[in-house]
Amino acid sequence: MKQLWFTCFSIVFLNSCQQQETATQKAQDIPVDTEVPELSIFQLPSQWTTQDNQEIVLEELQGKVLVMAMIYTSCQFACPRLVADMQRIEKEVAVDKRSDINLVLISIDPEHDQPDTLKQFAIENDLDPARWTLLQGNQDNVLEFAAVLGVQYQKISPVDFSHSNIISVFDHQGVLKYQQEGHGQDNTRIIGEIEALVPRDN
Amino acid sequence: MGYLKRPLIFMLVIWLPMEVSYAQPTGMSAITGGSYVPFYGSDTAVVTVDNFLIDQYPVTNEEFLEFVKKYPSWQRSQVKRLFAEEAYLTVWESDTVLGNAVLPQAPVTYVSWFAAKHYCQCQGKRLPTMEEWEFLAIADKQRSDAREDATFHQAILQWYEQPAPKVLPEVGNTEKNYWGVYDLHGLVWEWVLNFNSVMITGESRNDTALDRNLYCAGGALASTDLMNYAAFMRFAFRSSLKASYTLKNLGFRCAGVKDKEL
């Protein structure tokens, strides 16, 4: 299984030098007023697929405060709690600010978590499609994104992963503002961070 | 007796290039995959690596300079902060001049994971996985797995204890290991692809479990723990890294897949 995992890595890697240069150049063509900050995750050119089978780049998430976690849907122990923590955050954010947040779950098991699996997971967990985005990437993108967030993870069996439980908050420009580690934390701090990031005129 | 030695030396001289020649692309060694039990695992947690190719030396300043000349978005003044922190290539004189503070043939350091990964991609290669790197790192000069040998670990740990020299020496000055690979120990630490892997096996759970599993070893050093203490240091070091970090003693080398033409 491990071997297969790494073979997947290599296939992806051997092709992406030129692609990434082009993506960078494309990003530079965007006029100055929409230019994203250097520390923004929107600098990442990676392609993702949503639970509704839409192909997106992270930059398309621009405009809302992002609350993100990395999970896998077949997870038995930690992920349901991580999602529950995210749902508590969603409920605790002031009602008038809720429409300005986007809760994003990124799968660390893209082989298993196809868009329809993610869709099913969203339905089962009652995740409001207006506010929740579930993303499938490829192994390379997922690893890269985890590296950016400081999320550690490892496949430990065909169906199980070890991973750190981190909820990350990004401003509307995709810059990382706050991270909460561990389960069942007091949400006061993270709610405060999120609400402070939502633009006042909304 | 004196003249008897000469044919021996002569044989050694022709034998050495022959040994190197099994590395298919220039500067790479072909590694026959295998299995090993890493320090954190139980007997059931065997790690298996496939055949792969690995650079014999860490990537040098000179090589990395060629790369940034070709891909300006990776030059010191151009790189985005998400991809490399401020100290990126800080010892170089400028964007495209190495200057006097570094040796051209010394390993490039002050490079982020992103930069290392991108460099390898642009050579048609990739970063080695942590499992591959550690597989290479248990070899000494004669054996593919030298972990039973206490002097092997002592030598590595001794290097870990020494502060990095002011100017890093050139690559290739340490002893060549069993696989024909240089400088895995004794020169710089190296980025691996999945440096952000977690180090325990078992069901996914809170990070505290990970810490407990790791740091218990510090309190109760049995002989097996000592045997792997050097590896433990590397894991602890890697887990402290983030992808944009650039450090004075952290470089990298590239890997490739054996049946893939490079």
Side-chain angles (χ1 to χ4, degrees), chain A residues 111-166:
Chain A
E111 251 173 84
H112 174 265
D113 288 338
Q114 299 294 325
D116 53 343
T117 317
L118 294 174
K119 179 94 182 171
Q120 195 54 38
F121 182 83
I123 292 166
E124 277 165 18
N125 287 279
D126 212 9
L127 308 178
D128 182 350
R131 269 198 293 277
W132 289 77
T133 308
L134 290 82
L135 296 178
Q136 178 208 29
N138 61 37
Q139 307 280 18
D140 185 23
N141 296 343
V142 173
L143 183 81
E144 182 175 82
F145 197 75
V148 170
L149 293 190
V151 168
Q152 303 184 327
Y153 74 100
Q154 171 133 35
K155 193 168 193 162
I156 54 176
S157 81
V159 291
D160 228 347
F161 287 77
S162 264
H163 64 101
S164 35
N165 297 305
I166 296 179

Side-chain angles (χ1 to χ4, degrees), chain A residues 63-66 96-102 131 198-199 202:
Chain A
K64 288 188 177 184
V65 174
L66 303 175
D96 61 326
K97 298 194 167 182
R98 246 176 246 172
S99 58
D100 290 302
I101 62 168
N102 189 354
R131 269 198 293 277
V198 173
N202 280 315

Side-chain angles (χ1 to χ4, degrees), chain B:
Chain B
M1 278 309 274
Y3 63 87
L4 261 177
K5 277 183 185 164
R6 271 181 212 158
L8 264 176
I9 292 166
F10 181 63
M11 277 167 68
L12 266 176
V13 169
I14 30 174
W15 182 69
L16 274 173
M18 275 169 60
E19 190 195 30
V20 174
S21 71
Y22 73 82
Q24 283 105 12
T26 326
M28 293 190 99
S29 281
I31 311 298
T32 310
S35 301
Y36 66 102
V37 180
F39 83 99
Y40 51 85
S42 59
D43 288 347
T44 52
V46 174
V47 167
T48 305
V49 295
D50 261 336
N51 294 351
F52 64 103
L53 297 168
I54 190 79
D55 284 352
Q56 286 177 296
Y57 306 101
V59 173
T60 63
N61 282 308
E62 198 171 47
E63 289 166 331
F64 203 79
L65 180 66
E66 284 309 305
F67 165 73
V68 301
K69 280 180 180 166
K70 205 168 162 195
Y71 303 97
S73 62
W74 290 96
Q75 287 171 11
R76 196 167 73 188
S77 66
Q78 301 294 314
V79 73
K80 298 277 194 291
R81 277 292 156 264
L82 184 72
F83 300 128
E85 61 180 2
E86 225 155 302
Y88 178 67
L89 298 176
T90 184
V91 277
W92 287 14
E93 190 178 305
S94 71
D95 272 0
T96 52
V97 178
L98 296 182
N100 298 323
V102 293
L103 303 172
Q105 295 304 319
V108 65
T109 60
Y110 289 107
V111 282
S112 65
W113 175 80
F114 284 109
K117 181 165 159 274
H118 210 85
Y119 174 93
C120 293
Q121 282 169 357
C122 292
Q123 319 292 318
K125 301 179 188 176
R126 61 182 172 83
L127 280 174
T129 64
M130 179 186 70
E131 290 77 4
E132 288 168 342
W133 200 97
E134 288 292 325
F135 179 71
L136 299 174
I138 59 177
D140 70 356
K141 197 177 165 188
Q142 295 96 5
R143 293 162 293 191
S144 61
D145 186 351
R147 288 184 297 173
E148 295 288 341
D149 186 349
T151 54
F152 172 67
H153 299 284
Q154 273 158 14
I156 297 170
L157 288 171
Q158 208 171 7
W159 169 55
Y160 289 174
E161 283 166 13
Q162 281 165 3
K166 212 164 181 187
V167 177
L168 284 170
E170 296 187 345
V171 299
N173 280 320
T174 64
E175 201 168 63
K176 179 166 69 170
N177 85 358
Y178 175 84
W179 300 108
V181 176
Y182 295 82
D183 301 327
L184 287 168
H185 306 292
L187 186 59
V188 286
W189 302 71
E190 296 180 13
W191 281 111
V192 292
L193 180 62
N194 47 342
F195 74 93
N196 56 338
S197 284
V198 273
M199 302 151 252
I200 51 157
T201 54
E203 196 192 356
S204 37
R205 62 195 71 198
N206 235 334
D207 272 335
T208 49
L210 178 142
D211 291 343
R212 196 166 54 239
N213 266 30
L214 247 188
Y215 298 117
C216 267
L221 287 175
S223 58
T224 47
D225 296 325
L226 269 179
M227 189 175 93
N228 287 306
Y229 189 62
F232 166 74
M233 297 271 287
R234 291 193 293 274
F235 281 87
F237 172 70
R238 287 189 197 114
S239 71
S240 72
L241 295 173
K242 284 196 173 141
S244 64
Y245 282 13
T246 61
L247 301 173
K248 184 188 175 177
N249 61 342
L250 181 58
F252 71 100
R253 73 180 73 216
C254 305
V257 182
K258 200 178 176 184
D259 50 16
K260 185 96 191 174
E261 220 169 274
L262 290 175

Side-chain angles (χ1 to χ4, degrees), chain A residues 62-123:
Chain A
Q62 195 165 3
K64 288 188 177 184
V65 174
L66 303 175
V67 184
M68 284 198 185
M70 301 188 81
I71 59 142
Y72 63 106
T73 63
S74 59
C75 172
Q76 298 301 311
F77 179 75
C79 317
R81 293 180 57 191
L82 197 55
V83 173
D85 284 345
M86 296 263 289
Q87 284 175 309
R88 279 202 299 132
I89 291 169
E90 180 188 21
K91 287 199 186 75
E92 287 171 33
V93 167
V95 182
D96 61 326
K97 298 194 167 182
R98 246 176 246 172
S99 58
D100 290 302
I101 62 168
N102 189 354
L103 300 121
V104 184
L105 297 175
I106 290 187
S107 170
I108 54 171
D109 187 10
E111 251 173 84
H112 174 265
D113 288 338
Q114 299 294 325
D116 53 343
T117 317
L118 294 174
K119 179 94 182 171
Q120 195 54 38
F121 182 83
I123 292 166

